[in-house]
Amino acid sequence: MPPGKNGKVTQPKTVLVVDDEPDIRDSLRDALEDEGYRVAVARNGKEALETLPTLEEPVAIILDIIMPVMSGTEFYAAIQADPRLAKTPVVISTSDASRAPNGVLIMKKPVDLERLLDTVASLF
């Protein structure tokens, strides 16, 4: 486990990156792993729904909206309908913020990586 700011071991935190673009998934995974997060990736909302219950908590999600199979909007609605998943923090990463659900933190693509890392850190 990575040490915390006070030198004590902290609980590892997991981030689920959900994006249909392989380059974006890989870049975000690499950057988050460099920061000490455990990272899982999914290519669409359906894969994310299958992956999410298998992850160790605490978990945060970086979610694209426009994806095949199951969109980010459909995925978000599904986790909001599940009391076990509804409190999972989500950051929407999208080029079309008009499609994002109301009340969710949005980061417009292309994402400022430093800002995204700061935002993810604030979720835990």
Side-chain angles (χ1 to χ4, degrees):
M1 285 186 230
K5 291 181 182 179
N6 60 4
K8 294 183 179 177
V9 174
T10 59
Q11 179 181 7
K13 296 165 178 70
T14 304
V15 178
L16 174 59
V17 176
V18 188
D19 201 299
D20 61 321
E21 295 291 330
D23 291 342
I24 293 173
R25 277 194 318 269
D26 293 345
S27 296
L28 291 178
R29 182 192 61 229
D30 292 347
L32 290 160
E33 285 177 347
D34 286 348
E35 293 294 310
Y37 295 101
R38 287 184 302 229
V39 181
V41 295
R43 295 175 293 181
N44 56 61
K46 182 178 183 293
E47 276 187 14
L49 276 178
E50 293 166 355
T51 301
L52 191 55
T54 70
L55 301 177
E56 287 186 47
E57 293 185 11
V59 175
I61 301 168
I62 300 173
L63 178 64
D64 186 20
I65 290 293
I66 304 168
M67 296 180 290
V69 182
M70 177 185 261
S71 73
T73 306
E74 293 167 323
F75 168 79
Y76 185 77
I79 67 170
Q80 291 305 299
D82 184 334
R84 296 169 297 150
L85 303 174
K87 294 192 186 307
T88 306
V90 176
V91 175
I92 301 288
S93 167
T94 187
S95 57
D96 186 359
S98 70
R99 295 181 183 213
N102 289 331
V104 179
L105 184 58
I106 299 169
M107 301 199 88
K108 193 140 167 68
K109 287 183 177 177
V111 172
D112 177 314
L113 191 54
E114 189 171 323
R115 182 171 167 240
L116 179 67
L117 293 173
D118 287 344
T119 301
V120 169
S122 74
L123 298 175
F124 291 104

